[in-house]
Amino acid sequence: MADPLLSVERAGEILLEHASQVSDTETVALADANRRVLAKDIASRITQPPFAASAMDGYAVRAGDIGPEGAELQVIGEVAAGAMPEAHVTDGTAMRIFTGAPLPQGADSVVIQENTEKRSDAGVFFKTAAAVGDNIRDAGQDFAAGDILLSRGRTLDARALSLAAAGGHATLPVFRRPRVAVLATGNELVPPGTLPGPGQISASGSVAIAALARDNGADVIDLGIAGDSEAAIRGAVEKAVEAKADILVTIGGASVGDHDLIRPTLAAMGMELDFWKIAMRPGKPLMVGRLGDMRVLGLPGNPVSSFVCALLFAEPLIRHVGHFPPRNRETTAIAASTLADNGSRQHYMRGRFDCEGRVEMFERQDSSLQATLAEADCLIIRPPHAKAVEAGETVRIVNLG
């Protein structure tokens, strides 16, 4: 009998089908634009270089003045970067020039300093012949005014920002960061740093989800902890709506217990449910829906399950909404030991690389073990009903780095 649960792959497709991308833009200084997404094409305001310039320290000459046997020329001055030449190079003359300095009128070549020998106060001997264009950067060699330097949708990094600056831009238009509201639920939870009382635990899952959201370019709205009551959950969700969150991520309360109130509360508030429960381990009670313009992602309360689900679903959702390119974490590796047959749900097992670069599975895979998750390098993917894998065979993995 086929498993009625939704596959991980189909769940990922549905997740993005109704997710609207951010359309709001803002203009930010270059210093604040790193890791932001460019909202429109950027054209250069200037030509680079704006003039023919020397690529080396040496002498600006007329190439025809130096034959195969070399020649001695009279030095008539010098020009440094940031200055303009005060003389023209004519037959039998040369001008001392430094890297980045404008080429003097009349010169058509630069001879590097190492190929010269000073003979007198005004005379320099050139040891080798010169060719037209040697060691010269032509005007506009890099780009010209009006050229498109950066295209809409580019994730800005050090190289892109440097290019924008070279093109004469001090600010750039970028898409607004996606707003992600994070809500932990459960009477048993206390804020991190608070000593838990009887029956209580520290709320750690929301810390991980918020960090993951920020790592993927989001602004996080921390809704704190809501107790197991419809009123508390409703109040927190209303804050997310008021803050115009693009995505609401809830942690806990999405299963079928008497105290799992996320789904019925959100349904009463008008949430359209896209799916609930998928063929995945850990993370079966994953919930996805829409509340107005806000995408809703309900994660399991178990911190390991919530992190694995967030990595597979929250990360691609945030990146899609924020115009960031998809991050492909999946690759392959060699199994260090035998992996047993798998059941009906796709299993993500915590693993690590050994000294030979193979992946080995942690012996303990309970989804409550956060220390194991923190030590893991990857998640080993075991597809539904997969047969056993022997040591040395290839397995699919999700990189956690």
Side-chain angles (χ1 to χ4, degrees):
M1 179 178 176
D3 195 320
L5 297 177
L6 197 65
S7 71
V8 173
E9 291 73 18
R10 182 56 187 145
E13 293 170 355
I14 295 172
L15 176 74
L16 302 184
E17 283 176 358
H18 304 292
S20 299
Q21 292 185 294
V22 168
S23 59
D24 303 338
T25 65
E26 57 188 2
T27 300
V28 299
L30 288 182
D32 300 319
N34 193 39
R35 311 313 306 167
R36 302 296 296 271
V37 178
L38 196 60
K40 69 176 184 179
D41 293 349
I42 295 298
S44 178
R45 300 175 61 205
I46 58 179
T47 294
Q48 178 69 17
F51 45 75
S54 177
M56 303 288 285
D57 289 349
Y59 293 87
V61 301
R62 296 167 63 93
D65 286 347
I66 306 173
E69 304 301 322
E72 184 172 340
L73 303 178
Q74 181 184 8
V75 179
I76 59 173
E78 72 173 38
V79 57
M84 292 300 294
E86 296 181 353
H88 297 174
V89 172
T90 57
D91 290 346
T93 66
M95 184 172 288
R96 184 81 166 99
I97 195 167
F98 298 91
T99 304
L103 191 70
Q105 187 173 332
D108 59 17
S109 179
V110 171
V111 178
I112 64 174
Q113 183 174 315
E114 291 84 347
N115 290 339
T116 67
E117 180 183 315
K118 193 169 185 180
R119 292 284 178 87
S120 64
D121 289 344
V124 170
F125 181 75
F126 294 81
K127 303 175 185 178
T128 58
V132 173
D134 278 356
N135 303 307
I136 293 173
R137 296 173 180 149
D138 293 330
Q141 175 178 301
D142 199 354
F143 51 81
D147 286 352
I148 299 298
L149 300 180
L150 300 167
S151 298
R152 180 184 186 272
R154 169 75 181 260
T155 301
L156 298 168
D157 56 14
R159 294 168 296 132
L161 295 176
S162 177
L163 180 58
H169 293 274
T171 61
L172 291 173
V174 296
F175 287 107
R176 169 181 63 77
R177 294 183 186 276
R179 291 188 282 260
V180 178
V182 179
L183 173 64
T185 66
N187 289 338
E188 75 279 14
L189 299 179
V190 296
T194 301
L195 189 64
Q200 295 181 322
I201 59 172
S202 179
S204 58
S206 54
V207 174
I209 306 311
L212 184 70
R214 293 188 181 99
D215 283 347
N216 286 282
D219 283 334
V220 173
I221 304 164
D222 184 2
L223 298 176
I225 301 169
D228 292 323
S229 75
E230 291 190 15
I233 294 170
R234 178 183 287 271
V237 173
E238 287 174 348
K239 290 179 182 178
V241 173
E242 291 170 4
K244 297 182 179 180
D246 302 293
I247 302 168
L248 168 65
V249 180
T250 64
I251 304 167
S255 192
V256 295
D258 292 342
H259 299 285
D260 292 314
L261 302 175
I262 285 291
R263 188 170 59 91
T265 301
L266 287 170
M269 296 179 71
M271 180 187 72
E272 298 179 56
L273 183 67
D274 288 332
F275 64 82
W276 177 46
K277 298 183 180 179
I278 62 174
M280 174 181 170
R281 177 184 178 196
K284 176 182 175 182
L286 182 77
M287 181 189 72
V288 167
R290 289 162 285 160
L291 184 59
D293 294 330
M294 185 170 64
R295 208 72 171 104
V296 178
L297 181 60
L299 305 179
N302 187 296
V304 175
S305 300
S306 67
F307 177 81
V308 171
C309 287
L311 197 70
L312 299 178
F313 295 97
E315 180 172 88
L317 177 60
I318 292 167
R319 298 187 72 83
H320 172 78
V321 169
H323 296 267
F324 293 98
R327 174 176 287 168
N328 184 16
R329 292 180 177 269
E330 186 173 324
T331 185
T332 59
I334 302 301
S337 58
T338 300
L339 302 175
D341 293 350
N342 189 37
S344 61
R345 288 186 280 159
Q346 185 147 298
H347 195 180
Y348 292 85
M349 301 183 296
R350 279 123 286 161
R352 60 184 167 194
F353 294 101
D354 65 15
C355 60
E356 296 181 7
R358 303 172 302 179
V359 291
E360 56 182 356
M361 180 188 71
F362 284 96
E363 181 178 351
R364 298 193 303 160
Q365 289 291 322
D366 190 282
S367 58
S368 67
L369 302 177
Q370 295 188 73
T372 300
L373 177 63
E375 192 178 347
D377 301 312
C378 64
L379 301 173
I380 302 171
I381 305 172
R382 301 291 288 129
H385 308 292
K387 298 300 182 182
V389 171
E390 300 297 328
E393 293 185 343
T394 300
V395 291
R396 292 160 55 204
I397 66 169
V398 176
N399 272 318
L400 297 181

